[in-house]
Amino acid sequence: MTRSDPPPQPAGAAAAKALAWTHTARFLVTAARLEQLPQLELAEIGFVGRSNAGKSTAINRLAQQKRLAFASRTPGRTQHINLFAVGPKNAPDALFADLPGYGYAAVERAAKLRWQEVMAQYLAQRRSLSGVVLLVDSRLGFTDLDQRLLRLLEPRLAGGVVRLLVLLTKADKLSRQAAAQASREATALLSRECPAHADVAVGLFSALNGSGVDDVAVRLDAWAQPRDALQTTM
C-alpha cells in the first residue's frame, strides 16, 4: 500500500523510545564486496539514494551523531557498504546499511560502475535485507536513476520480502504548498511503479530542522521487530 502521508504523529513515549534506539547506532564494518559482509541473523535496513540526496546526513541525524556516516560536501564519497549496529551494546537487534550513492557524474566511470554493481547486488541478493529507505531530493523528485532502482527492488517488494520508505529530503527548502505537491507526485509515481500490495510509504524529511525524524525512527524501530511481532503491533 502506498501512503502519501507519514504515519500518525507518534505518541511522545513511542517517539522517545524509537529515537533512543536509533541513537545507539555505531559503526560495525565496511565492505567493498557483498561477500565481505558478516552473515548475521538481524534485520538490515538499507539507506540508498543519489550521491547528493542527503543519505549519510539522514543517518547521522537519526543517530544524533555528526560523523557516524561520512557526510561530505563532495558527493560520491561513500564507496563501500558501511554497516552500523543498532540496539543494546552487546546484543544489537538491527543493522543500518549505508550504501554507495549513485548518479554523480564527476566520479571516475570504472569506480562508479563498481560501486553501483555492489549496491545493486546488495539490494537484490542480501538475504537479511528487511527494509529500504530511498532518499530523494524533494526539490527534484524521482530521477530516471531513482526509478531504475525501484524496478530493481520490485521483485522483492512484490514478494513481501522488503519494505520501502521513500524520504523526500531537504523538505525545509520547500514551501508548505511545494512540499505537499512533491509528496503527491511521489505517491502517484510509486502507485504506478510498485506492486499494489507492497509495503511502501512516503514521508517528508529534513535533517536540518528535524521534520519527519520522529516518524522515521518509529517506523524503522517497527521494522527491526520480527515479522510476527510486527503484525500484532501495527
Side-chain angles (χ1 to χ4, degrees):
M1 179 174 65
T2 303
R3 297 184 292 275
S4 59
D5 297 321
Q9 184 64 30
K17 170 184 174 293
L19 288 169
W21 177 73
T22 61
H23 291 176
T24 66
R26 62 273 186 193
F27 176 77
L28 180 65
V29 69
T30 187
R33 299 190 303 275
L34 205 61
E35 58 268 25
Q36 294 175 340
L37 292 173
Q39 299 296 326
L40 302 175
E41 296 300 320
L42 298 174
E44 289 184 17
I45 299 169
F47 289 75
V48 65
R50 286 178 60 86
S51 296
N52 57 354
K55 174 173 51 67
S56 297
T57 302
I59 295 173
N60 288 339
R61 180 62 195 241
L62 286 166
Q64 202 62 29
Q65 300 180 47
K66 291 184 178 180
R67 293 184 63 83
L68 178 66
F70 188 79
S72 170
R73 293 183 181 274
T74 303
R77 293 297 298 272
T78 303
Q79 303 176 16
H80 298 75
I81 298 174
N82 297 307
L83 292 185
F84 307 97
V86 190
K89 182 176 181 180
N90 296 320
D93 47 28
L95 300 173
F96 289 167
D98 186 11
L99 303 178
Y102 53 86
Y104 188 57
V107 176
E108 191 269 323
R109 177 175 172 78
K112 180 165 61 176
L113 291 176
R114 183 175 66 253
W115 304 343
Q116 293 181 8
E117 181 181 4
V118 170
M119 178 195 68
Q121 289 175 344
Y122 177 90
L123 293 173
Q125 301 174 19
R126 183 69 167 168
R127 183 176 61 84
S128 50
L129 183 64
S130 176
V132 173
V133 180
L134 172 58
L135 294 103
V136 174
D137 190 322
S138 62
R139 300 166 299 177
L140 303 176
F142 281 87
T143 65
D144 290 342
L145 288 174
D146 296 321
Q147 294 181 57
R148 286 170 58 185
L149 186 136
L150 286 177
R151 289 192 286 273
L152 173 68
L153 283 174
E154 184 176 5
R156 304 195 82 182
L157 291 171
V161 176
V162 169
R163 294 158 286 198
L164 175 66
L165 172 61
V166 175
L167 287 187
L168 301 176
T169 62
K170 308 179 185 181
D172 57 282
K173 301 183 183 298
L174 298 180
S175 67
R176 180 173 298 183
Q177 182 178 4
Q181 179 63 25
S183 184
R184 286 193 295 269
E185 291 176 356
T187 300
L189 185 143
L190 289 169
S191 296
R192 296 192 303 269
E193 296 290 337
C194 295
H197 60 281
D199 187 347
V200 179
V202 177
L204 293 162
F205 184 88
S206 170
L208 182 63
N209 66 21
S211 62
V213 172
D214 286 8
D215 291 331
V216 174
V218 168
R219 186 177 297 277
L220 301 189
D221 187 27
W223 282 4
Q225 299 180 42
R227 291 281 181 152
D228 52 353
L230 186 63
Q231 294 298 322
T232 64
T233 58
M234 294 295 285

